[in-house]
Amino acid sequence: AQSVTQLDSQVPVFEEAPVELRCNYSSSVSVYLFWYVQYPNQGLQLLLKYLSGSTLVKGINGFEAEFNKSQTSFHLRKPSVHISDTAEYFCAVTHTGTASKLTFGTGTRLQVTL
Amino acid sequence: GAVVSQHPSWVICKSGTSVKIECRSLDFQATTMFWYRQFPKQSLMLMATSNEGSKATYEQGVEKDKFLINHASLTLSTLTVTSAHPEDSSFYICSARDGRTDTQYFGPGTRLTVL
């Protein structure tokens, strides 16, 4: 079985400040890792994904994440946030070679203020 | 990126009626689609995996007779909530797996309110 832990339910940050949203996973086999963003009353939009290769993954909207196998982490970062980044962020994991049955974390609410 | 649509985007119905929600992959074929349920301020919970041409696989605790799933073609899956009750009110989100990239693309969701 696999699981995802997002330790921070809410992260308040000022505009133009850097941010890190934490994600740790647990799995006995190799995994694919994803970050999704959800704006109010909308579905999920893929920010970035790690399948293999370089452990530093760049995504849309200036976000990036680093896969750390030894720490079983996949933290999401952005060097300078905008008000428009205010949303719910979900980390998700799936086993490689499966039909992509995703397991989601509980989400982190990023609140950007002036 | 790939696009997944859902219809309707919101629906209000009376208790006891049935509601059908459609999920379509618009620019790719999806042999596998997934149905999720999301309660306010909570994460997505997988309800079932829908496979084209075969029966859906339901997660533990999900009533298959209440949440009927049909995956009639490579671009369409439907979720029917039968005899809906107020506790079925939720945000239902589908996703479709693009086999070329092994990535799930999500629909915009359907807000169901049962009165």
Side-chain angles (χ1 to χ4, degrees), chain A residues 32 34 36 38 41-46 49 51 90 95-102 104-107, chain B residues 32 34 36 38 41-44 46 49 51 59 91 93 97 101-109 111:
Chain A
Y32 292 159
F34 304 82
Y36 287 89
Q38 185 180 34
N41 296 311
Q42 294 186 29
L44 275 67
Q45 180 181 5
L46 180 66
K49 60 186 177 184
L51 304 181
F90 292 98
H95 287 163
T96 59
T98 70
S100 300
K101 182 176 172 180
L102 285 170
F104 283 88
T106 51
Chain B
T32 304
F34 301 87
Y36 295 85
Q38 185 181 31
K41 300 187 186 301
Q42 294 188 28
S43 188
L44 280 73
L46 179 65
T49 302
N51 298 298
E59 294 300 299
F91 196 49
I93 303 175
R97 175 177 174 263
T101 58
D102 205 11
T103 298
Q104 282 188 42
Y105 294 95
F106 285 78
R111 173 80 56 196

Side-chain angles (χ1 to χ4, degrees), chain B residues 2-31:
Chain B
V3 178
V4 176
S5 70
Q6 272 184 251
H7 178 80
S9 55
W10 59 270
V11 57
I12 301 172
C13 70
K14 293 182 178 180
S15 185
T17 61
S18 294
V19 174
K20 180 185 284 188
I21 302 170
E22 291 186 350
C23 177
R24 294 182 185 271
S25 58
L26 299 184
D27 50 3
F28 65 99
Q29 293 183 332
T31 54

Side-chain angles (χ1 to χ4, degrees), chain B residues 40-94:
Chain B
K41 300 187 186 301
Q42 294 188 28
S43 188
L44 280 73
M45 299 301 295
L46 179 65
M47 298 174 66
T49 302
S50 170
N51 298 298
E52 188 267 337
S54 65
K55 291 183 178 180
T57 303
Y58 290 82
E59 294 300 299
Q60 192 172 9
V62 178
E63 298 176 62
K64 61 181 179 181
D65 294 330
K66 181 168 186 61
F67 298 100
L68 300 179
I69 291 172
N70 183 276
H71 196 150
S73 75
L74 288 172
T75 59
L76 173 65
S77 176
T78 60
L79 167 68
T80 301
V81 183
T82 62
S83 188
H85 288 95
E87 58 265 29
D88 298 324
S89 298
S90 189
F91 196 49
Y92 292 88
I93 303 175
C94 76

Side-chain angles (χ1 to χ4, degrees), chain A residues 15-76:
Chain A
E15 191 174 33
E16 297 183 4
V19 71
E20 178 180 84
L21 306 183
R22 296 182 292 170
C23 173
N24 288 87
Y25 70 93
S26 162
S27 177
S28 57
V29 297
S30 296
V31 296
Y32 292 159
L33 293 154
F34 304 82
W35 274 100
Y36 287 89
V37 60
Q38 185 180 34
Y39 298 101
N41 296 311
Q42 294 186 29
L44 275 67
Q45 180 181 5
L46 180 66
L47 275 178
L48 49 79
K49 60 186 177 184
Y50 172 77
L51 304 181
S52 65
S54 174
T55 57
L56 182 62
V57 181
K58 293 190 182 297
I60 62 171
N61 302 340
F63 284 94
E64 65 179 32
E66 185 159 17
F67 171 59
N68 187 319
K69 188 175 182 179
S70 63
Q71 297 185 6
T72 60
S73 68
F74 190 56
H75 300 333
L76 181 71

